[in-house]
Amino acid sequence: MKHHRNTIKSGLMAVCLAALSAPMALADDVKIRLGHVLPESHSWHQAATGFADEVSTRTEGRVAIEVFASGQLGSEKEVIEGLQFGSVQAGLIGSGSFQAIEPRMGIIEMPYAWGAREQAFAALDGDLGASLESMLDDKGIKVIGWWENGFRNITNNVRPIEKPADLDGLKIRVTPDKVRLATFELLGAQPAPLSFGELYSALQQGVFDAQENPLAIIYSSSFFEVQKYVSLTEHIWGAATLTMAKSVWDKISAEDQAIVSEAATTWGAKQREMVAAANAELVAQLEEKGMQFNDVDKAAFIDAVAPIWESQKEVYGEDLLAILNTYRK
């Protein structure tokens, strides 16, 4: 009888130990769906796929990332909500889209904030990035890397845009953020938000005359089929924010977190190089597709958007603006 009790006891002990060890074993095995809204031909997807493969290989499958392009996991707004609720594990998202949950994220995409992309890289890889990462961390979102969307330019079907007055009355699709809307209203256009996935058909049907995006998106999304003029305004530089739900990040071991961070940095540098290489060729490629390019009077545009900076001072606060300005010199 005693022997039987010992057997039961040791059996229970084994079950308890198994129960205790099971969560630890599972903690290292994390499956992640990473969503973005751009087509597979864009550098976002190419770099995200490379990042996912490297993470999977180096962690020996403990962290497995699958990339979903073209809004398969939802619009940027929906992916951000998914990150907060845990229904989406990771996203590569335009930095401006985070303004819905953290208005101060809009500082990256203020009009004419950056004279050169290198200034933005230094800021986001430095103190500005650290401040913004902390803000998103408080919202349950972990920033793993600052990749690039690039300088935005205006395309339209009405006329070349050379000075702010040329935007007068132009129906332009913008991303759904308040600063972008206010900027184009100030410039005399008629801006309205629309999710990226609906943009091509809206331009095709004439719902909008114009839109604004980096050249790589204009090309990879075939906007040359539905737009005629490209005006090189370079009015906004945008980051691509590689993010993960904090709840998911916390399930990854410290050793594997280091691998994920390293891979994000490596592929972020490669993605930035892809943007630079593509920009050198895109003007010629889009001209071949029939688009007409023109330069703009940037000084006139910079003067015209000055009131937007004034209006956002209280949103960003003196400390954040001071950090930004150290990188703009």
Side-chain angles (χ1 to χ4, degrees), residues 19-92:
L20 284 169
S21 63
M24 291 170 73
L26 289 171
D28 287 338
D29 188 13
V30 183
K31 292 195 185 327
I32 291 167
R33 296 182 308 155
L34 189 161
H36 67 84
V37 298
L38 295 183
E40 291 185 3
S41 56
H42 193 277
S43 65
W44 280 18
H45 188 74
Q46 292 157 20
T49 305
F51 161 72
D53 290 346
E54 181 176 328
V55 168
S56 182
T57 301
R58 289 181 61 194
T59 65
E60 298 175 338
R62 292 185 301 274
V63 181
I65 302 172
E66 189 177 358
V67 182
F68 294 83
S70 303
Q72 291 176 72
L73 300 187
S75 66
E76 291 199 326
K77 179 176 181 286
E78 289 163 341
V79 171
I80 290 168
E81 287 170 356
L83 290 171
Q84 290 190 293
F85 294 121
S87 56
V88 178
Q89 295 79 41
L92 185 56

Side-chain angles (χ1 to χ4, degrees), residues 110-111 182-183 186 301-313:
M110 281 293 283
T183 298
L186 181 69
F301 274 89
I302 292 167
D303 288 345
V305 300
I308 295 293
W309 283 85
E310 195 60 38
S311 73
Q312 295 303 300
K313 273 185 177 175

